[in-house]
Amino acid sequence: QVQLVESGGGLVQAGGSLRLSCVASGRFFSEFVAAWFRQAPGKEREFGAGLNGSGGTAYYADSVKGRFAISRDNTKNTVYLQMNSLKPEDTAIYYCALDFTPFIRSSSRQYDYWGQGTQVTVSS
């Protein structure tokens, strides 16, 4: 069983930055695709960024491309999301997720493990 714990959320002004972290328990972390999703009030959960097991291939949603960067440290079982140039529309609960597959997929239904989420609020 894999457990995920996110941290790093908070309140930031528009244009600011935050770095989210997600630590995974269990084995075989490097075998999983790691991704960050987000869910704003009244909206469906949406894909933000994904990274393959080795960290060599990343995929971003158009809404965050060029502003967010996903990375991972497999020696620490940790995946990160660096968020720059934040906008009020980035306000959401951010979730990390793991998918036991070589392919980065954007559908939340494909992911096997989820964290509890961390709140990010961007003020204008």
Side-chain angles (χ1 to χ4, degrees), residues 30-94:
S30 63
E31 303 294 321
F32 289 88
V33 161
W36 288 94
F37 287 78
R38 65 186 185 183
Q39 188 166 18
K43 295 187 177 182
E44 292 187 355
R45 192 169 298 188
E46 65 175 7
F47 175 85
L51 188 64
N52 70 342
S54 68
T57 300
Y59 179 71
Y60 296 93
D62 288 343
S63 58
V64 306
K65 195 175 297 182
R67 299 188 298 122
F68 291 10
I70 187 171
S71 61
R72 66 194 295 162
D73 184 341
N74 288 339
T75 66
K76 297 181 179 179
N77 277 20
T78 302
V79 59
Y80 305 97
L81 186 68
Q82 178 67 43
M83 305 186 294
N84 300 324
S85 303
L86 282 161
K87 305 175 182 180
E89 51 263 44
D90 294 318
T91 295
I93 298 174
Y94 283 70

Side-chain angles (χ1 to χ4, degrees), residues 21-32:
S21 299
C22 173
V23 180
S25 65
R27 302 167 65 188
F28 309 117
F29 176 74
S30 63
E31 303 294 321
F32 289 88

Side-chain angles (χ1 to χ4, degrees), residues 5-17:
V5 179
E6 301 102 331
S7 62
L11 174 64
V12 64
Q13 288 187 332
S17 298

Side-chain angles (χ1 to χ4, degrees), residues 89-103:
E89 51 263 44
D90 294 318
T91 295
I93 298 174
Y94 283 70
Y95 299 89
C96 69
L98 299 182
D99 183 12
F100 197 67
T101 175
F103 310 106

